[in-house]
Amino acid sequence: MIDFILSIRQLFVFIFFITGIYFLLSTAVGLIRFPNLYTRLHAGSKCLMAGGISVFMGCIVLEGISFVSLKLIVIMIFLSITNPVTIHVIASFDNNYNLIPKTYTKEDFEK
Amino acid sequence: MRKKLLTFILTLALWFVFAGHVSIQVFFLGTIISSFISLMMAENLFRLIQLKDGTKDFPKKTYDIFMVIIAFIYDVFLSAVKVSRHAFEIKPSFSPRIVRIKTSLKNSNSIATLASFITFTQGSLALDFDHINNQYVIHWIDVHSDDEEERKIARIRKHLNLIAKIVD
Amino acid sequence: MLYLILVIVLTAILTFYRVIKGPSLPDRLVAMNCIGVMFLLVLVLLSFYFERKIFIDVALVYGVFLFINVLIMAKYLRKPWKGGVGD
């Protein structure tokens, strides 16, 4: 019975780490291959945060209930609050949006 | 008084998490430091977070906060799968577009909270906020036609209503 | 566990390509933010590999300084407002 619980926990740790590796690799590939700044910001915010959350969850399941896992939860909450703030500050870096390719919306035609 | 007690309990719990073990010396030092913090900074802390109707119906609100956290984690993974599928295509194809959305929120803190939520929904990224017209400027990664734009705006309005329940 | 650390370091090296080549300045900032978060994950995993709990405190302080670092770089390197002081 104890061996069964241990193997279930190993399986969950394996799944979380594999998904984390996949999202981090997609972050690197996306930052290299995407054409302009704002699409790179998409890769830098969502894929990075999903990879970070899944690696932290794998560490929490590996550790069990202790003070170390509480510290990991604190770091995870802090990262998920501050990462959109940094992305938003970098996105408002340039005042006039010259970098975006011009595709007209419906409200542009109404003007 | 209730605000100061809540601040005291939260800072003492954070102190124990950072200390790493429970003993009598850690407890005494923690009570001294967190009592200083709760006496000095309780009013400033609760001025930043403005809940709707104060702290009156708090146990009813915990259900809403729980639903918001579940929606947050679900959206992060769903949108990350969508962006990573774009990354591993042979030819990455985008059709970016800038959309403006009006809000009814007035307080600046709740506007900042919703901006970080818009960053994590599917394929959208909050660029800027227009203070004169109360509009968000949002960059979408894949919008092919006007019908699809309407459907995606409706998906953001759902999040906006969910947040407007909690924060004023 | 060691292979996981090596793969994350490999992704950080792949991201470093954007820091060198990036055509404009915000590209370099985004890539730098990504490298910072990846090395924070490496610190957390190293604390499990060497079985030392003190590395997690290092990771926490590193995360706080990373946030302040990126915010101050983005504040002082941006273009001035049109009609502003430095225009």
Side-chain angles (χ1 to χ4, degrees), chain B residues 10-58:
Chain B
L10 283 178
T11 48
L12 192 60
L14 198 63
W15 175 266
F16 272 118
V17 169
F18 285 158
H21 60 277
V22 178
S23 68
I24 196 78
Q25 291 95 357
V26 172
F27 179 71
F28 275 127
L29 192 57
T31 45
I32 292 169
I33 291 174
S34 53
S35 62
F36 269 122
I37 291 175
S38 62
L39 283 179
M40 288 164 63
M41 302 177 66
E43 296 297 325
N44 289 329
L45 275 181
F46 279 89
R47 202 183 59 206
L48 291 179
I49 309 162
Q50 289 178 344
L51 292 175
K52 206 171 193 173
D53 305 328
T55 56
K56 211 168 16 182
D57 288 331
F58 197 72

Side-chain angles (χ1 to χ4, degrees), chain A residues 33 38 46 67 88 97 103 105, chain B residues 87 89-90 96 98 119 124:
Chain A
R33 291 187 65 203
Y38 289 97
K46 287 157 192 147
F67 277 106
H88 183 250
Y97 304 114
T103 57
T105 62
Chain B
E89 280 177 351
I90 296 172
I98 291 178
T119 304
S124 67

Side-chain angles (χ1 to χ4, degrees), chain A:
Chain A
M1 190 65 195
I2 295 173
D3 291 339
F4 179 70
I5 292 174
L6 274 180
S7 63
I8 288 290
R9 177 187 282 183
Q10 290 290 326
L11 185 67
F12 269 102
V13 169
F14 195 71
I15 290 172
F16 277 128
F17 281 166
I18 289 295
T19 53
I21 283 176
Y22 171 68
F23 284 132
L24 289 178
L25 267 180
S26 71
T27 304
V29 174
L31 275 178
I32 289 174
R33 291 187 65 203
F34 281 174
N36 58 3
L37 170 66
Y38 289 97
T39 48
R40 277 173 210 145
L41 284 173
H42 280 277
S45 65
K46 287 157 192 147
C47 292
L48 183 73
M49 211 53 238
I53 284 178
S54 49
V55 170
F56 275 120
M57 288 296 287
C59 287
I60 289 169
V61 174
L62 186 69
E63 174 65 28
I65 298 172
S66 68
F67 277 106
V68 174
S69 58
L70 281 177
K71 268 180 201 170
L72 289 177
I73 290 173
V74 169
I75 300 175
M76 196 171 75
I77 293 172
F78 182 77
L79 269 187
S80 63
I81 290 173
T82 58
N83 197 19
V85 177
T86 56
I87 292 297
H88 183 250
V89 168
I90 296 170
S92 65
F93 200 90
D94 204 357
N95 297 322
N96 41 3
Y97 304 114
N98 286 327
L99 297 169
I100 300 166
K102 194 69 174 175
T103 57
Y104 290 100
T105 62
K106 199 166 59 180
E107 294 180 358
D108 287 334
F109 287 117
E110 289 174 358
K111 278 178 185 176

